[in-house]
Amino acid sequence: SRARVMHSFWQRLNALFFYTLSVLGFLAFMAAISTYFHQADPKVELKLERILLRKVYGPGHDQAILSLGINADLRSVFNWNVKQLFAYVTAEYETEANVLNQVVVWDAVISEKELAWIRSDFVVNKYSLTDQGYGLLDNNVTLVMNWNIIPATGLLTLSHAFDQVHRFQVPATYS
Amino acid sequence: RNFGRGSTHLVTMSVGELFQMLKAGSMDFVGQKKSFDLQFYTIWIAGIIGFVYGFIQQRFLYTFYFIFGATLFSTAVCLPSWPIWNRNPVEWREPKEEDKSDKEPSTQKAAKGAKKR
């Protein structure tokens, strides 16, 4: 017959603690799996309200200060496995030096579903659109909304609203 | 005092005796199994219910609350050596009559150890 071991108080405490931890871990994993078929339906609208173009001498580069209009409804991205969204707007353009320049001009950390509808009508960029050289003058720039989904359990993912971008032309003269 | 070998009646116990039992910290084998089963099923069932409720509300915090609540309950009920977990105490055999004059102390200890198994 099976040998019986009498457990001490500490052995029982140890068993209880790690048992509860493993149940919690398993259910967290199942929660992540349950969001596999979750459909997000973000509605994004980006606008450029105003642009101020400066020429910085010395090292020598172009710098643009943008006033953005952001209307992004990211509430449907949230599910019970989403801890936070890190949303950011990039300005993308091509120059002679680089095939793709991608500059983050605005970002926000969204921790709750209720706060996930970004309605900022006339917000100045958090980070100025600065080129490595003089490549901004009279160039085409695309504003794209992107967001990182930081899950409670699982891998961090990145999504973009490529179908809802805003394209504009940088002025040919400095402001 | 008979602490109820497998009895089904509630045994009255003084506070002092209860405190001694808790302090000793041991359960008998039957109580140990029952206690573990109770803890196992409590936490799992609370976890399943919490999972369903959390899924409906889309908040994993509620699932955590269910599991944590079940854990607190188990810690209070299943962890300490309460009288219900000591209802089937191990029946030790009566010590044999020993001839203390010619046995060595080590042989005596070995014999005692063998009996307790």
Side-chain angles (χ1 to χ4, degrees), chain A residues 5-7 12 19-20 79-80, chain B residues 25 32 40 44 58 71 79:
Chain A
V5 176
M6 188 173 276
H7 299 130
R12 295 198 302 264
Y19 178 65
T20 213
N79 55 53
W80 68 328
Chain B
Q32 180 173 284
F40 182 91
W44 255 122
Q58 283 293 299
T71 306
L79 182 63

Side-chain angles (χ1 to χ4, degrees), chain A residues 35-43 73-79 82 85 147 149 159:
Chain A
T35 62
Y36 186 75
F37 293 108
H38 174 81
Q39 289 289 350
D41 178 33
K43 295 182 257 293
D73 187 359
L74 300 175
R75 289 175 300 177
S76 58
V77 180
F78 271 86
N79 55 53
V82 172
L85 292 185
W147 57 92
I149 298 171
S159 309

Side-chain angles (χ1 to χ4, degrees), chain A residues 4-9 12-13 15-16 19-20 23-24 26-28 30-31 34-35 78-81, chain B residues 25 27-29 32 39-40 43-44 47 51 54-55 58-60 63-64 67 71 74-75 79-81:
Chain A
R4 295 186 296 180
V5 176
M6 188 173 276
H7 299 130
S8 69
F9 175 83
R12 295 198 302 264
L13 179 63
L16 174 60
Y19 178 65
T20 213
V23 171
L24 189 63
F26 174 74
L27 290 180
M30 293 306 288
S34 75
T35 62
F78 271 86
N79 55 53
W80 68 328
N81 196 37
Chain B
M27 303 175 179
D28 57 55
F29 291 111
Q32 180 173 284
Q39 149 192 330
F40 182 91
I43 293 176
W44 255 122
F51 186 83
F55 181 77
Q58 283 293 299
R59 291 197 71 179
F60 191 75
T63 307
F64 174 76
I67 297 174
T71 306
S74 298
T75 308
L79 182 63
S81 47

Side-chain angles (χ1 to χ4, degrees), chain B:
Chain B
R1 225 11 225 285
N2 182 357
F3 279 170
R5 294 210 184 89
S7 74
T8 53
H9 322 296
L10 269 173
V11 172
T12 47
M13 193 184 255
S14 73
V15 179
E17 287 164 348
L18 178 65
F19 183 71
Q20 287 304 319
M21 186 177 267
L22 289 175
K23 204 163 136 222
S26 65
M27 303 175 179
D28 57 55
F29 291 111
V30 177
Q32 180 173 284
K33 182 184 190 308
K34 283 188 181 165
S35 161
F36 183 78
D37 285 347
L38 179 65
Q39 149 192 330
F40 182 91
Y41 289 114
T42 307
I43 293 176
W44 255 122
I45 290 170
I48 303 286
I49 297 175
F51 186 83
V52 174
Y53 185 65
F55 181 77
I56 292 169
Q57 298 288 339
Q58 283 293 299
R59 291 197 71 179
F60 191 75
L61 183 65
Y62 296 149
T63 307
F64 174 76
Y65 282 157
F66 269 86
I67 297 174
F68 188 63
T71 306
L72 288 180
F73 172 81
S74 298
T75 308
V77 175
C78 305
L79 182 63
S81 47
W82 296 112
I84 33 160
W85 309 127
N86 275 308
R87 295 261 281 269
N88 299 80
V90 178
E91 291 182 20
W92 302 116
R93 275 197 270 162
E94 293 299 316
K96 240 196 323 195
E97 279 294 318
E98 280 169 19
D99 204 353
K100 287 183 183 144
S101 51
D102 31 54
K103 277 217 170 99
E104 288 172 329
S106 56
T107 330
Q108 279 184 336
K109 279 187 190 152
K112 281 182 189 163
K115 285 199 192 100
K116 272 198 175 169
R117 232 170 265 124

Side-chain angles (χ1 to χ4, degrees), chain A:
Chain A
S1 65
R2 213 178 50 167
R4 295 186 296 180
V5 176
M6 188 173 276
H7 299 130
S8 69
F9 175 83
W10 296 108
Q11 283 174 310
R12 295 198 302 264
L13 179 63
N14 179 74
L16 174 60
F17 177 71
F18 284 105
Y19 178 65
T20 213
L21 219 55
S22 50
V23 171
L24 189 63
F26 174 74
L27 290 180
F29 178 73
M30 293 306 288
I33 298 220
S34 75
T35 62
Y36 186 75
F37 293 108
H38 174 81
Q39 289 289 350
D41 178 33
K43 295 182 257 293
V44 177
E45 208 185 289
L46 295 170
K47 258 191 314 215
L48 179 75
E49 305 282 1
R50 200 186 292 169
I51 179 167
L52 203 77
L53 188 64
R54 304 185 328 165
K55 186 176 184 177
V56 179
Y57 291 96
H61 56 259
D62 282 344
Q63 188 186 54
I65 313 285
L66 311 172
S67 274
L68 305 165
I70 305 171
N71 187 338
D73 187 359
L74 300 175
R75 289 175 300 177
S76 58
V77 180
F78 271 86
N79 55 53
W80 68 328
N81 196 37
V82 172
K83 184 184 176 297
Q84 273 180 347
L85 292 185
F86 178 68
Y88 58 98
V89 175
T90 51
E92 307 185 359
Y93 59 98
E94 187 184 329
T95 57
E96 280 174 11
N98 306 310
V99 173
L100 175 65
N101 298 277
Q102 235 175 5
V103 183
V104 176
V105 292
W106 184 91
D107 56 30
V109 173
I110 308 163
S111 300
E112 278 150 58
K113 184 178 177 171
E114 296 75 37
L115 305 173
W117 190 354
I118 306 164
R119 284 168 288 192
S120 299
D121 283 338
F122 224 106
V123 64
V124 73
N125 56 216
K126 277 193 182 179
Y127 320 102
S128 60
L129 175 51
T130 307
D131 188 36
Q132 287 175 331
Y134 296 113
L136 278 179
L137 204 61
D138 203 22
N139 203 347
N140 294 317
V141 176
T142 309
L143 289 173
V144 188
M145 171 62 90
N146 317 274
W147 57 92
N148 274 125
I149 298 171
I150 297 155
T153 310
L155 302 172
L156 201 141
T157 56
L158 176 61
S159 309
H160 323 267
F162 281 136
D163 52 341
Q164 291 150 327
V165 299
H166 178 79
R167 291 187 180 81
F168 65 92
Q169 181 94 8
V170 178
T173 53
Y174 291 105
S175 308

